[in-house]
Amino acid sequence: MSKEISLQALQRLPLYLQYLKALPADKDIYISAKVLSSALGLGEIQVRKDLAAVSDGGKPKVGYCAAELIKDIENFLGYDNVNDAVLVGTGKLGKALLSYDGFKAYGLNIVAAFDSDPGKCGIDESGKQIFHISKMENLCERMKIEIGIITVPAASAQEVCDILVKSGIRAVWNFAPAHISVPAGVLLKNENMAASLAVLSKHLSEKRVCENNSNSI
Amino acid sequence: MSKEISLQALQRLPLYLQYLKALPADKDIYISAKVLSSALGLGEIQVRKDLAAVSDGGKPKVGYCAAELIKDIENFLGYDNVNDAVLVGTGKLGKALLSYDGFKAYGLNIVAAFDSDPGKCGIDESGKQIFHISKMENLCERMKIEIGIITVPAASAQEVCDILVKSGIRAVWNFAPAHISVPAGVLLKNENMAASLAVLSKHLSEKRVCENNSNSI
């Protein structure tokens, strides 16, 4: 199925997946958009639309077979085909992501890491190889790596991103608190903790923020 | 100044701060919205509006005094008054955040952590104290903690959040890949890596996604 879906809907799909996977693994469990929406505190029409975009299995009255819906969502998200990734910058956050084994469930496989500090190169405690950044371009090209995870300081983020793009990376997951730019066709997903902290800090400093009538962001 | 500002604008402020702080610390440096917008790849009108909302220092032709603008933005964000936070769940990500010293610059001070595993309690390598979760409510109330950082598994996220709210927390920073709900007045900021991975994976699986004509998210 190649229906279009909004970015917002796309980002809700993991929530559905997670809820469905928590249900007892029983072939005969059916779940309706109504039940799912109230369980997750989302609008029923929104959930109904999201599910219809990723699965044809909805039946009037009963809803979706949970097991089938899980398959459909994972298939839609491309979790079935694992994507190889490299991580650049093995500081505290980098090491944490490197040794986090939960990514595989989302189709992400970090095959290696890079650092500019020769002293950090070698085998990480997670068992993954950390190479010197000078080896990155060659290795990414050779292994046809598609995802680059950036956990370097803000100042070097764009430089690292440029090398990744030059190496054929098609998606960049940026954890550096920096505004970086990528050419069209390459997806950039920012995980900007500084922006999040600004939201928290602002809320506590009790100045009013427009939050589309919602206190959840 | 207590002007209203959109959530989107609020989350751009740290980018401005970061750029301004990278400039040579010279009292006489002035920067215009035009220069800032092109440097950060943002729309000039947008930047002009953002800056006007947080600072009155803009002068025709010359723009803003960088040093003054930094002060105004930090003041607007409430970075000047440090907020105490606790962290719940000392797994890999939890430990990484606990030992990350960059938060202080954003007015966030993690004073202690909690875990349900008694074996994990004691002094963390970061030098911070990890208490058993049974002590959380009492300690948060006593120390008037305002921010709770959740890094527990999805299954226990809501339960932990409820205890935090009960303890007087006013802002929750959730890293667990779970949909949790908070009462009105409490701010919830989700750092949902599962949602980010869905976006990356989807892009690579080459199904089309509406991204508001932008490839940066």
Side-chain angles (χ1 to χ4, degrees):
Chain A
M1 201 186 313
S2 67
K3 291 181 187 166
E4 273 213 351
I5 180 170
S6 77
L7 182 61
Q8 292 66 27
L10 178 57
Q11 296 188 82
R12 282 191 294 269
L13 295 180
L15 285 177
Y16 303 147
L17 254 189
Q18 194 187 340
Y19 178 85
L20 293 165
K21 284 181 166 180
L23 296 173
D26 179 338
K27 273 209 177 51
D28 303 336
I29 288 188
Y30 276 73
I31 184 153
S32 66
K34 188 186 184 66
V35 171
L36 200 52
S37 59
S38 60
L40 295 175
L42 298 169
E44 182 179 344
I45 292 136
Q46 186 181 60
V47 172
R48 197 174 294 283
K49 233 179 115 212
D50 293 350
L51 299 185
V54 298
S55 173
D56 290 331
K59 294 186 183 61
K61 304 264 191 310
V62 290
Y64 293 81
C65 164
E68 289 303 318
L69 188 51
I70 289 174
K71 276 209 211 89
D72 288 341
I73 296 176
E74 290 191 329
N75 178 286
F76 184 88
L77 289 173
Y79 286 176
D80 39 359
N81 44 9
V82 172
N83 298 301
D84 285 340
V86 293
L87 180 142
V88 194
T90 59
K92 293 207 173 71
L93 182 59
K95 277 186 171 296
L97 297 181
L98 203 54
S99 51
Y100 178 55
D101 35 30
F103 287 148
K104 272 234 163 75
Y106 301 108
L108 184 81
N109 176 36
I110 304 178
V111 294
F114 298 93
D115 203 285
S116 58
D117 175 0
K120 286 188 172 171
C121 299
I123 303 285
D124 177 66
E125 56 248 5
S126 66
K128 299 233 170 83
Q129 182 84 46
I130 301 173
F131 298 100
H132 187 263
I133 193 144
S134 60
K135 298 211 167 82
M136 186 163 74
E137 186 170 351
N138 177 285
L139 189 141
C140 289
E141 278 175 354
R142 228 178 54 240
M143 296 186 71
K144 303 197 168 14
I145 304 297
E146 295 203 295
I147 299 180
I149 303 168
I150 298 179
T151 48
V152 299
S156 23
Q158 183 66 62
E159 183 190 355
V160 162
C161 179
D162 294 343
I163 304 174
L164 285 167
V165 168
K166 201 153 160 281
S167 322
I169 289 289
R170 290 173 51 222
V172 173
W173 195 9
N174 175 41
F175 285 81
H179 175 91
I180 58 179
S181 49
V182 294
V186 175
L187 182 101
L188 170 65
K189 183 76 183 78
N190 290 302
E191 217 65 53
N192 193 338
M193 298 202 186
S196 301
L197 280 162
V199 175
L200 294 170
S201 177
K202 186 69 171 58
H203 173 74
L204 293 174
S205 69
E206 289 176 338
K207 298 198 178 89
R208 292 172 51 232
V209 181
C210 335
E211 280 162 28
N212 326 325
N213 314 322
S214 154
N215 64 329
S216 166
I217 298 157
Chain B
M1 195 187 317
S2 67
K3 292 183 189 166
E4 272 215 354
I5 180 170
S6 76
L7 182 61
Q8 292 66 28
L10 178 57
Q11 296 188 82
R12 281 190 295 270
L13 295 180
L15 284 178
Y16 302 147
L17 256 189
Q18 194 186 342
Y19 178 85
L20 294 165
K21 286 182 165 179
L23 297 173
D26 177 339
K27 272 207 177 49
D28 303 336
I29 286 188
Y30 276 73
I31 184 154
S32 65
K34 189 187 182 66
V35 170
L36 200 52
S37 59
S38 60
L40 295 176
L42 299 168
E44 184 180 344
I45 292 136
Q46 185 181 61
V47 173
R48 197 175 295 283
K49 234 179 112 211
D50 292 350
L51 299 185
V54 298
S55 174
D56 290 330
K59 293 185 184 63
K61 300 263 189 316
V62 289
Y64 292 81
C65 166
E68 289 302 317
L69 189 52
I70 289 173
K71 276 208 212 89
D72 289 340
I73 296 176
E74 289 190 329
N75 179 287
F76 184 88
L77 289 174
Y79 286 175
D80 39 1
N81 44 9
V82 171
N83 299 301
D84 285 342
V86 293
L87 180 143
V88 195
T90 58
K92 291 202 175 71
L93 182 60
K95 277 184 171 298
L97 297 181
L98 205 54
S99 52
Y100 178 56
D101 35 28
F103 287 148
K104 272 233 163 74
Y106 301 107
L108 184 81
N109 176 36
I110 304 179
V111 294
F114 299 91
D115 203 284
S116 57
D117 175 0
K120 285 186 171 170
C121 298
I123 303 286
D124 178 67
E125 57 249 4
S126 67
K128 300 234 169 82
Q129 182 84 46
I130 301 174
F131 299 98
H132 188 264
I133 192 142
S134 60
K135 297 209 168 81
M136 185 160 77
E137 188 170 350
N138 178 286
L139 189 141
C140 289
E141 278 174 355
R142 230 180 51 240
M143 298 187 68
K144 302 199 167 12
I145 304 296
E146 295 203 297
I147 298 179
I149 304 169
I150 298 179
T151 48
V152 299
S156 22
Q158 183 65 65
E159 183 190 356
V160 163
C161 178
D162 294 343
I163 304 175
L164 286 167
V165 168
K166 200 153 161 280
S167 322
I169 289 290
R170 290 174 49 221
V172 173
W173 196 9
N174 175 41
F175 285 82
H179 175 92
I180 58 179
S181 49
V182 294
V186 175
L187 182 96
L188 171 65
K189 182 77 181 77
N190 290 303
E191 217 65 52
N192 192 338
M193 298 204 184
S196 301
L197 280 162
V199 174
L200 295 169
S201 176
K202 186 67 170 58
H203 173 74
L204 294 174
S205 70
E206 289 176 335
K207 298 199 176 88
R208 291 173 51 231
V209 181
C210 337
E211 279 163 28
N212 328 325
N213 313 322
S214 152
N215 65 327
S216 166
I217 298 158

